[in-house]
Amino acid sequence: MAVDPDDEALSWGDESDPSHAAAPSADAVEADGTASGSLALVAYGIFAGLYLLYTIGWVLASIRNPIPVGGILPVILYQFGEFLAIVSPALWAASVAVFTRHKRPATRVVWLLIGALVLIPWPFIA
């Protein structure tokens, strides 16, 4: 395997010297996981855009549907339900980010996919 001159600059000292630093190998770069990290970043961006669209869908669905009149308590509960529906995509994404912080990126993507299926704004679609 040919040694890149730029990588040679990253190593110094004799191999028996305790201050010796070896140049990074090609195996270390591949083991870093930069390719899977890039795919995860793209997936996070897609889910962020999808959740933003879901939030807009829930806002439009709540604007389109009139509030049922039947007393103060049902109106308050209905509006609270609309509020929870509107913020649910952001809450799901934030909770996935917090609770899967030390997990693999694939686990986080699976949970984001589950949220994308559960949080579909059906009133807006129908």
Side-chain angles (χ1 to χ4, degrees):
M1 182 169 139
V3 178
D4 187 15
D6 292 334
D7 287 342
E8 282 182 1
L10 297 175
S11 65
W12 60 86
D14 187 17
E15 288 187 19
S16 62
D17 186 13
S19 66
H20 172 71
S25 66
D27 297 335
V29 174
E30 291 173 5
D32 185 18
T34 56
S36 65
S38 298
L39 290 175
L41 188 61
V42 169
Y44 298 156
I46 290 171
F47 281 116
L50 184 66
Y51 284 169
L52 180 63
L53 289 175
Y54 280 5
T55 301
I56 293 169
W58 280 112
V59 167
L60 294 176
S62 67
I63 290 172
R64 250 192 325 193
N65 294 336
I67 298 174
V69 179
I72 189 73
L73 184 62
V75 169
I76 290 172
L77 292 176
Y78 186 80
Q79 288 181 342
F80 183 67
E82 283 182 338
F83 170 75
L84 288 178
I86 290 170
V87 299
S88 63
L91 289 176
W92 186 277
S95 62
V96 167
V98 168
F99 293 127
T100 62
R101 184 177 342 158
H102 302 293
K103 306 283 185 190
R104 296 181 333 179
T107 305
R108 186 175 293 156
V109 169
V110 167
W111 279 107
L112 289 172
L113 180 64
I114 291 171
L117 297 174
V118 170
L119 299 172
I120 296 173
W122 289 112
F124 177 72
I125 294 172

